Amino acid sequence: MSENRKQEQIEEIFSYYGNQKDKSTQEMVVALLKELQEVEGCISIGLRKRVVEVTGITENFLNCIIKMYPSIKESANVHEIIACTGERCGNKNGMEILRNIKKELGIGKDGMSRDGNFKLQTRNCLKQCRTAPNLMIDGKIYSGQELEDIKKLFQKI
Ligand code: FES
């Protein structure tokens, strides 16, 4: 499945569950996590943050649920970086930012950083074109001037 298709499916899942009245119940959260896992293979740091946001549950409650269901797999503590390579971001230095990230973190062919702490992916649009250029790290968007000094940005993470 392409990365864009995956992202679309993830958004569909979040929008479906986000509209459920009982979205913060254990049953619903488990169902949501299982669907996300079917698409992504595991529950990443970024997905965990979104689950907390969308369902309104606390991180503690989410941790308890994940522990209770061994079939739900968390990704190792790897930070997920999604660089936007869409037209709007591309026109505003997006490609140079991507090159800087690769260089700074020593990203290999598998998308992993030299130290194994970061995984880099690209996407055609993060649906935040207004603030281009954009980058998503663990589910949070970083834009514009924040991306001028990549080294500094990664120190904050
Ligand atoms: S092109 Fe980058 S957010 Fe849309």
Side-chain angles (χ1 to χ4, degrees):
M1 197 189 311
S2 76
E3 280 304 321
N4 281 332
R5 180 69 198 113
K6 263 194 198 177
Q7 187 59 22
E8 269 170 34
Q9 285 200 354
I10 299 257
E11 292 309 325
E12 279 164 22
I13 294 170
F14 276 124
S15 101
Y16 172 79
Y17 281 89
N19 285 324
Q20 304 303 308
K21 271 207 190 90
D22 51 353
K23 60 188 175 195
S24 56
T25 61
Q26 183 174 326
E27 250 179 7
M28 281 306 241
V29 176
V30 170
L32 166 61
L33 290 169
K34 287 192 172 161
E35 283 202 36
L36 292 172
Q37 181 163 287
E38 254 171 51
V39 180
E40 255 327 312
C42 62
I43 305 298
S44 63
I45 301 174
L47 286 179
R48 287 176 58 111
K49 289 197 176 156
R50 293 282 309 274
V51 169
V52 167
E53 259 170 45
V54 168
T55 59
I57 62 169
T58 62
E59 280 206 41
N60 274 347
F61 185 39
L62 178 60
N63 286 339
C64 292
I65 292 178
I66 291 176
K67 276 198 194 117
M68 263 190 282
Y69 291 83
S71 61
I72 297 172
K73 305 253 176 293
E74 279 188 282
S75 67
N77 263 356
V78 174
H79 296 288
E80 271 180 336
I81 306 170
I82 303 176
C84 184
T85 51
E87 206 184 324
R88 298 281 290 277
C89 291
N91 285 342
K92 291 195 170 170
N93 256 352
M95 292 306 170
E96 199 186 323
I97 291 168
L98 181 62
R99 272 195 297 276
N100 287 344
I101 297 171
K102 286 185 177 168
K103 206 169 124 203
E104 181 61 33
L105 298 175
I107 300 285
K109 282 210 173 74
D110 57 356
M112 292 304 295
S113 64
R114 210 183 296 115
D115 60 8
N117 291 334
F118 294 88
K119 183 174 173 220
L120 174 68
Q121 295 171 23
T122 56
R123 202 151 285 160
N124 279 334
C125 183
L126 293 170
K127 311 261 186 293
Q128 305 279 340
C129 308
R130 243 180 340 106
T131 56
N134 294 304
L135 190 67
M136 193 188 268
I137 305 177
D138 296 335
K140 183 169 184 264
I141 294 277
Y142 295 85
S143 313
Q145 286 186 337
E146 280 181 298
L147 308 184
E148 269 170 22
D149 193 340
I150 286 292
K151 209 175 188 162
K152 220 162 142 194
L153 179 65
F154 288 131
Q155 279 163 2
K156 284 198 276 183
I157 290 160

